[in-house]
Amino acid sequence: MFDARLRPLIDPPLDRLGRHLARAGLGADAVTLGGLALGLGAAALIATGHPDWALLPLLLSRLADGLDGAVARATRRSDFGGYLDITSDFLFYAAIPLGFVWLDPGANGAAGAFLLASFYFNGATFLGFAVLAEKARMRTDARGVKSLYFTGGLLEGAETIGFFVLICLLPGWFVPLAWVFGALCFLTAGARLLLARKVFPATSTRDVP
């Protein structure tokens, strides 16, 4: 919901820093993998009972997620780089809730499973829409220059990071917050399905025998 509004504010400083990193010889894929390592480290800290300590690597991970694209724009963008970026993002988004489930499976298991299911469904609608948008040659840079077509929604990256920060600060509230956020993810995914039904033709593109 807020990603498109935040892009004009965060892209200029990210691009400046990305150019510096590129001149220093750091590649975009290395930044992506470094960010993923930080995110998985944050999940491990949560799982071992230190969600407050997880805040710094979590936020640094998301900084790296913005910087990898900036480095790529300063050097050379690649299809594999975009693929690596989105798959790393999805792994990170799954790892943080999983960390809370591992922290206390009895208390957090049901809410964590519901949240992960909502992420799975939301991610499927997001990637499926991107595939159809590429097929239809749709383009947008409202959320920055991306390798995939990024659709908007009630919950996007900024809201998810805000949610992760909140549950790290208030781990005792993970269960009710996870139920609420998961329900909003299902709502976002449902709205995207309705949008896809409106934007893309309902007739099959396959040959009819």
Side-chain angles (χ1 to χ4, degrees), residues 123-173:
T125 63
F126 171 82
L127 292 176
F129 196 104
V131 169
L132 293 178
E134 179 66 25
K135 188 176 180 180
R137 298 183 179 180
M138 294 168 56
R139 295 288 183 269
T140 179
D141 59 357
R143 287 157 185 83
V145 179
K146 304 289 187 181
S147 296
L148 300 176
Y149 187 97
F150 272 55
T151 50
L154 179 63
L155 298 180
E156 300 180 71
E159 291 81 14
T160 305
I161 300 310
F163 167 68
F164 284 171
V165 169
L166 186 60
I167 57 178
C168 285
L169 291 173
L170 302 171
W173 284 80

